[in-house]
Amino acid sequence: MGRPISLARAAAGLAALACLLTVAPVAAAGDTSDAPWPQSATDTRSVHRGGHVTPSASDGEAVDGKTKASSPAFTHPVTLRGDKAVLEATATIRCDIEPGVYPVYLHSPMLEPGEVWGRVRVEPDGAAIPKACRDRQQAAAASPSGNDGGSEQVLVIGGGAAGLAAAGAGGFLLAKRRRLRRVEAA
């Protein structure tokens, strides 16, 4: 048998876990592909209802703040922004859309209007409503101001992380106190 883990190490592990739990949902929310999308008019990105895609364009086809990407699958057109070489935006897929392939259009002063720029494939979800759509529906029903509940989710995650860190610190202090009592008793 190995040596038991000290409470100090357990507290440090809990603090690290709290930090990971705070950052993980933010990282998971983005697009999983590192490749710019779309590469061509036939380039198709697959996503579920309520998910996100990140269209990106080069400075040869887009102007910062003046170029929009739109699709029947998007909740609304998105404005591409970025540095000189690459412009991008995050588009949310509508929750009420049927599975299928939908065109994506780039509205730029540098391109001809009406050409298909890329495609997005909305994948079937099965019988259940996707979590992102369910969360939005619940947040909209609970909030008359139209708040999507994202800030509340961040507060809950941050509060949970702080609670885990406090529990770890408390365990460390209790262990230290117990050691001091043993030394004094000896």
Side-chain angles (χ1 to χ4, degrees):
M1 281 255 181
R3 206 169 95 199
I5 295 177
S6 71
L7 286 177
R9 287 188 183 193
L14 282 175
L17 178 64
C19 291
L20 178 64
L21 290 174
T22 303
V23 174
V26 175
D31 186 8
T32 58
S33 173
D34 291 337
W37 173 79
Q39 299 275 337
S40 69
T42 59
D43 191 1
T44 305
R45 181 65 47 103
S46 293
V47 66
H48 289 276
R49 295 181 300 152
H52 302 280
V53 291
T54 306
S56 61
S58 68
D59 61 351
E61 59 187 355
V63 178
D64 186 18
K66 296 183 180 180
T67 302
K68 291 184 180 281
S70 69
S71 172
F74 295 173
T75 56
H76 61 279
V78 292
T79 303
L80 278 71
R81 299 194 180 279
D83 61 21
K84 183 173 170 60
V86 178
L87 307 172
E88 63 183 19
T90 301
T92 303
I93 304 301
R94 292 179 20 207
C95 289
D96 61 347
I97 194 137
E98 294 294 321
V101 177
Y102 296 89
V104 176
Y105 302 97
L106 187 67
H107 309 280
S108 171
M110 303 177 80
L111 298 175
E112 293 294 320
E115 289 186 31
V116 175
W117 182 55
R119 300 181 192 288
V120 64
R121 175 181 290 114
V122 179
E123 297 289 343
D125 304 313
I129 297 173
K131 183 176 179 350
C133 293
R134 187 177 57 243
D135 290 348
R136 279 195 202 106
Q137 289 171 352
Q138 290 171 350
S143 174
S145 67
N147 182 4
D148 65 358
S151 59
E152 291 174 16
Q153 183 181 14
V154 169
L155 288 174
V156 169
I157 292 170
L164 281 173
F172 174 76
L173 292 174
L174 285 173
K176 188 174 182 178
R177 186 171 142 195
R178 185 182 304 157
R179 271 190 248 123
L180 286 175
R181 284 185 181 171
R182 284 185 197 156
V183 170
E184 289 173 359

